[in-house]
Amino acid sequence: DQQVKQNSPSLSVQEGRISILNCDYTNSMFDYFLWYKKYPAEGPTFLISISSIKDKNEDGRFTVFLNKSAKHLSLHIVPSQPGDSAVYFCAASARNSMNYGGSQGNLIFGKGTKLSVKP
Amino acid sequence: KAGVTQTPRYLIKTRGQQVTLSCSPISGHRSVSWYQQTPGQGLQFLFEYFSETQRNKGNFPGRFSGRQFSNSRSEMNVSTLELGDSALYLCASSLGGGLKDLSYEQFFGPGTRLTVL
């Protein structure tokens, strides 16, 4: 059973507009969330993260919103640029869960959303 | 600061063989995690090492094992290779200690592409 879901496998956006990537999770023990960007033949690159004690975190053009009651988070990219075209992965971690043996090293990833930004 | 490095970048093996992959974390990072990426299953957690001890393990068979050395470098071993083991194997490092948010940000290497024939 997938604990982290990215229901849109792909998204196409015009340059300069907003890109919104969505992610849903099922495990209420998750308390830390991260977004990664991945280009072909490269490892994922960390973008931005958010702790469950916050509902928003902003870094330049990237903003992550967390809605704990809905178990939903989203990544907003404004304005979108052609260089943003990549696969975006949402990941979650249960930092303080004994079910994870107290380990913080276990990230659960969604299957990714391929973003295409058209010039 | 140098990033996470993985060797080799590409590997071709045949069924039944065994393979060892290597990962050097970012300097100062004590946690190393391994992931398997396949088109069907996405990124799946294999295991994590911190201070030479395995702290957490995903749902993979015992053919997958790892270790970490005193300099935080890590190796992953897969024995008795199967066709389904063909994948991109990614290593990620993080500070790994304490409860500060920065400890949990994992930085990935470029991966080792393993092909099993």
Side-chain angles (χ1 to χ4, degrees):
Chain A
D1 184 34
Q2 259 192 290
Q3 297 186 68
V4 178
K5 296 180 184 178
Q6 293 177 258
N7 291 319
S8 299
S10 63
L11 175 68
S12 184
V13 170
Q14 206 64 35
E15 180 179 7
R17 306 295 286 268
I18 183 172
S19 294
I20 300 177
L21 298 115
N22 294 303
C23 178
D24 297 294
Y25 62 96
T26 57
N27 191 337
S28 57
M29 299 302 294
F30 289 147
D31 57 5
Y32 195 67
F33 304 89
L34 308 90
W35 283 94
Y36 286 84
K37 178 169 78 171
K38 188 178 184 301
Y39 294 115
E42 293 184 13
T45 302
F46 170 75
L47 270 177
I48 192 170
S49 62
I50 188 167
S51 162
S52 60
I53 62 172
K54 298 179 181 177
D55 53 20
K56 177 182 174 182
N57 189 24
E58 199 169 347
D59 184 3
R61 296 186 298 115
F62 301 91
T63 303
V64 57
F65 295 92
L66 175 62
N67 182 334
K68 280 185 294 182
S69 60
K71 294 192 177 68
H72 177 84
L73 64 155
S74 60
L75 174 68
H76 292 210
I77 306 174
V78 183
S80 302
Q81 300 171 353
D84 295 330
S85 297
V87 178
Y88 288 78
F89 290 94
C90 164
S93 178
R95 293 179 298 177
N96 297 308
S97 168
M98 290 306 295
N99 289 333
Y100 288 85
S103 167
Q104 300 82 30
N106 184 6
L107 289 181
I108 308 296
F109 282 85
K111 295 204 172 180
T113 296
K114 184 175 181 179
L115 174 65
S116 300
V117 181
K118 310 280 185 198
Chain B
K1 193 187 258 191
V4 178
T5 58
Q6 291 187 246
T7 56
R9 291 293 310 276
Y10 302 93
L11 207 47
I12 299 175
K13 291 283 187 179
T14 56
R15 279 184 299 174
Q17 286 188 307
Q18 68 104 25
V19 68
T20 299
L21 312 180
S22 181
C23 171
S24 292
I26 292 171
S27 177
H29 284 193
R30 295 164 64 193
S31 168
V32 173
S33 298
W34 288 89
Y35 295 84
Q36 181 196 64
Q37 185 182 22
T38 57
Q41 298 299 318
L43 270 156
Q44 292 188 291
F45 174 75
L46 280 155
F47 30 65
E48 184 227 1
Y49 286 87
F50 180 80
S51 292
E52 302 177 67
T53 301
Q54 188 180 85
R55 274 206 302 199
N56 202 2
K57 188 175 187 302
N59 292 325
F60 278 82
R63 300 186 296 108
F64 293 81
S65 62
R67 58 177 175 168
Q68 187 181 34
F69 303 95
S70 58
N71 61 358
S72 293
R73 190 177 70 85
S74 177
E75 286 182 348
M76 190 192 98
N77 185 275
V78 188
S79 62
T80 320
L81 283 165
E82 301 177 359
L83 294 177
D85 297 333
S86 295
L88 179 67
Y89 289 89
L90 292 158
C91 161
S93 77
S94 67
L95 290 169
L99 292 175
K100 292 185 179 179
D101 286 350
L102 286 176
S103 299
Y104 302 95
E105 290 165 2
Q106 295 190 4
F107 297 87
F108 284 81
T112 295
R113 171 72 62 185
L114 172 65
T115 302
V116 182
L117 303 175

